[in-house]
Amino acid sequence: MNTLHPTDRTLASRLLNWFDDHGRKDLPWQTDTTPYRVWISEIMLQQTQVATVIPYYERFMGEFPTVEALSAAPEDDVLKLWSGLGYYARARNLHRGAKMVTGDLGGEFPDTVDGLCTLPGIGRSTAGAIISIAMGGRAPILDGNVKRVLARHHAVDGWPGKSGVAAELWGHAEAHTPNTRVADYTQAIMDLGATLCTRRRPQCLVCPLVDTCHAGRAGDPEQYPGKKPKRTTPTRSAFFALVVDHTGAVLLQKRPPSGIWGGLWSLPQSPDRGELENLAQRFGVVDPEVEQLPMIEHTFSHFRLAITPLRIRLSTAHTSVSEPTEYKWHQFTQSLPGGIPAPVAKLLAEQGHLPNTSQGDKA
């Protein structure tokens, strides 16, 4: 471990001075900083850039302004507002967490890091942000931006995903977190990583920490933090059925509550083409018209999915489906029943079954 530079104890004061002049102070979640509002913003900001999060955050808070409103909402409504933001487990965890706060905790958020970590989807860094920003308590954070700042400042070798590297970075985070103005310091160190100490081409010459940054002085800041070991990304294949009846209605299927696209409304999916073609038999159509559409490739965090869409036309009106809670028919003029995966939304839009407003997505 690198020894601290004699002036490192002033890191917080230098960051705060920089923040007073250059920090971001007008983000939507920086007003009325309640634990609920900060919690929503911190979860949305996980692996997602601020510019992408802002409109989602504003729509989400407009629909669910309080933890009670989120707790009472149907999961479909929550996932619908999350559509396109990706990593849908975050939305499901927020919904579950809201129910825990209102049902088990009397509507009050825990006021300790350990207490907050009992809520689903909240780790030590997110808990620290809620404590410091919304409650004024002293708690270090270590999100992606902070890892980068501290890894460069102290020349911490290795990928932060390794426990030893993470422990070293947490030690630095703890050492630098001040006892006063903790909320501003927390925002300041995140802002520094987001605006100056960026992953590529960091602006070291105007950084307030340039005099004590080991990587900046050595001229190799992009070597830190260490990169995640490369591994081959596997590709999986699946057929998606775009089942359309004579009125233009499309058959949607609700995904299982956990796993990829958990709880979203998607198209019937199977690795077996024949299984999907047999869907038509449920509606009395023995030999449906089947058209294979161009393949779609969608990349998740840990694999690629090669999707072959099959457009299956039913010549008659659709009848009842054997699992009414699992399937729904969707008309272009109707509101979607809930969240929908981005590649499915794009396909429906291209085929004229949905307005073309889809966005990028992740698992």
Side-chain angles (χ1 to χ4, degrees), residues 3-313:
T3 57
L4 291 177
H5 188 279
T7 59
D8 276 357
R9 62 184 131 234
T10 67
L11 180 145
S13 60
R14 285 180 290 150
L15 264 182
L16 287 166
N17 288 336
W18 172 82
F19 177 75
D20 288 341
D21 293 332
H22 304 289
R24 297 178 293 188
K25 305 178 185 67
D26 57 355
L27 298 173
W29 45 87
Q30 291 178 315
T31 59
D32 186 20
T33 52
T34 65
Y36 173 69
R37 289 174 59 84
V38 174
W39 175 46
I40 300 298
S41 69
E42 287 297 317
I43 298 298
M44 284 189 169
L45 287 166
Q46 291 172 356
Q47 299 177 285
T48 310
Q49 294 183 346
V50 168
T52 300
V53 165
I54 287 176
Y56 280 92
Y57 180 83
E58 291 176 333
R59 286 193 295 268
F60 199 91
M61 296 307 299
E63 189 72 22
F64 311 122
T66 64
V67 67
E68 290 80 11
L70 177 57
S71 174
E75 183 183 82
D76 274 339
D77 290 354
V78 177
L79 292 173
K80 187 174 182 179
L81 280 179
W82 204 273
S83 289
L85 195 56
Y87 300 110
Y88 290 93
R90 296 182 297 174
R92 297 193 299 272
N93 284 334
L94 281 174
H95 196 219
R96 287 172 52 215
K99 289 183 178 298
M100 288 177 63
V101 170
T102 57
D104 302 334
L105 302 174
E108 297 293 329
F109 281 81
D111 59 2
T112 65
V113 169
D114 288 343
L116 285 167
C117 285
T118 63
L119 298 178
I122 293 186
R124 181 179 174 186
S125 185
T126 299
I130 296 171
I131 293 292
S132 60
I133 295 174
M135 302 180 184
R138 183 187 182 279
I141 69 162
L142 196 66
D143 72 352
N145 285 321
V146 178
K147 289 175 183 176
R148 187 164 56 252
V149 170
L150 295 178
R152 288 172 175 173
H153 192 262
H154 295 282
V156 177
D157 291 317
W159 174 49
K162 293 182 177 180
S163 58
V165 178
E168 185 173 351
L169 291 172
W170 271 114
H172 292 308
E174 172 66 36
H176 291 305
T177 301
N179 293 314
T180 59
R181 293 191 65 187
V182 184
D184 286 345
Y185 170 82
T186 298
Q187 189 64 55
I189 195 166
M190 290 192 292
D191 281 1
L192 187 74
T195 61
L196 295 185
C197 194
T198 49
R199 186 175 303 172
R200 295 181 180 85
R201 287 186 281 233
Q203 302 177 53
C204 297
L205 293 180
V206 293
C207 176
L209 308 181
V210 62
D211 291 341
T212 54
C213 178
H214 288 271
R217 294 203 312 268
D220 60 352
E222 293 190 32
Q223 299 301 311
Y224 302 92
K227 293 179 174 57
K228 182 178 181 179
K230 287 187 177 180
R231 63 178 181 180
T232 303
T233 303
T235 298
R236 304 177 190 173
S237 299
F239 293 94
F240 278 28
L242 181 60
V243 184
V244 185
D245 80 348
H246 76 299
T247 70
V250 175
L251 185 67
L252 298 179
Q253 181 180 23
K254 192 174 181 67
R255 299 280 300 173
S258 60
I260 299 301
W261 294 331
L264 300 190
W265 288 91
S266 186
L267 297 175
Q269 173 185 341
S270 174
D272 182 0
R273 174 175 178 145
E275 180 182 335
L276 293 182
E277 291 181 356
N278 289 338
L279 271 176
Q281 295 181 9
R282 296 186 181 184
F283 313 105
V285 180
V286 178
D287 189 19
E289 177 187 342
V290 180
E291 176 188 1
Q292 182 169 312
L293 302 175
M295 190 183 75
I296 301 169
E297 188 173 273
H298 186 71
T299 302
F300 293 93
S301 58
H302 54 292
F303 72 96
R304 294 187 184 90
L305 181 62
I307 302 169
T308 301
L310 302 175
R311 186 179 179 90
I312 302 175
R313 296 180 184 273

